[in-house]
Amino acid sequence: MTDVAVVTDSSACLPAALVDSLGITVVSRYYDIGGGPLRESDFDGDFARFYGELDASKSVATTLAPPVEDFVVIFDRLLSQHSAVVAVLGSSHFSDTCSMARQAAAGLQSEGGDGERVVVIDSAGALGHLGVQALAGARAAAAGEDVSGVLAAVRRARQEVRQWVILDTLEYLRRGGRI
């Protein structure tokens, strides 16, 4: 067991086998395509099903950050097993995920808990950009690095990562108001 736990959110789109092998905890974001909020983890990588439901929906798809309560449960569990938690999360430009995680850490701290042992990192990205940073942090933690070493690995990865995105269609960005 590593001394530092690494958390990321489901927008990192990391393969389950890789997440499991490095002991990364993934907090599921939520989406709504007209029937109420559902966890992204409910699709478990079945993108054909997800896009099939999205195509059939008459509503505009929305995404939602995990609520504070989801982070409290995860942070509390991890802090009982590790000396610290480093949460590498999707960009605050796209989502309130970092804000929710910071509120959870502050809430734990104000309740006399261990919220000060949680460090929330805004990855300034999503998808592969986020995933590379979370992987760098998890590999550093697995190598026995302390919080400073894990944070340094995440920051190096953030500086070095480059990401290009190719979309099959702009339809979902249009329907969601992004373009």
Side-chain angles (χ1 to χ4, degrees), residues 70-90:
D70 287 9
F71 283 108
V72 168
V73 168
I74 288 170
F75 291 164
D76 200 37
R77 177 179 52 83
L78 291 173
L79 289 169
S80 72
Q81 302 167 1
H82 302 274
S83 66
V85 173
V86 173
V88 185
L89 304 169

Side-chain angles (χ1 to χ4, degrees), residues 8-165:
T8 193
D9 68 70
S10 55
S11 70
C13 299
L14 293 171
L18 189 55
V19 165
D20 293 342
S21 72
L22 290 170
I24 299 170
T25 299
V26 178
V27 179
S28 185
R29 293 176 36 86
Y30 291 75
Y31 67 92
D32 187 347
I33 52 179
L38 299 167
R39 291 177 186 265
E40 286 181 348
S41 59
D42 292 343
F43 274 99
D44 197 28
D46 186 354
F47 293 110
R49 183 177 136 217
F50 173 78
Y51 283 109
E53 289 185 23
L54 186 60
D55 283 339
S57 171
K58 303 296 182 215
S59 300
V60 173
T62 58
T63 58
L64 307 157
V68 171
E69 296 77 20
D70 287 9
F71 283 108
V72 168
V73 168
I74 288 170
F75 291 164
D76 200 37
R77 177 179 52 83
L78 291 173
L79 289 169
S80 72
Q81 302 167 1
H82 302 274
S83 66
V85 173
V86 173
V88 185
L89 304 169
S91 173
S92 59
H93 293 288
F94 306 136
S95 168
D96 289 332
T97 303
C98 286
S99 175
M100 297 295 123
R102 288 185 179 114
Q103 289 177 47
L108 286 171
Q109 189 170 354
S110 72
E111 294 172 3
D114 297 318
E116 75 280 351
R117 295 190 294 141
V118 176
V119 180
V120 176
I121 301 293
D122 182 335
S123 70
L127 305 169
H129 193 273
L130 166 59
V132 166
Q133 292 175 63
L135 291 173
R139 287 184 174 126
E145 293 287 343
D146 62 6
V147 173
S148 297
V150 171
L151 293 173
V154 170
R155 289 183 182 117
R156 270 192 311 276
R158 181 176 174 174
Q159 293 301 313
E160 295 172 6
V161 69
R162 300 293 179 262
Q163 177 175 316
W164 292 266
V165 178

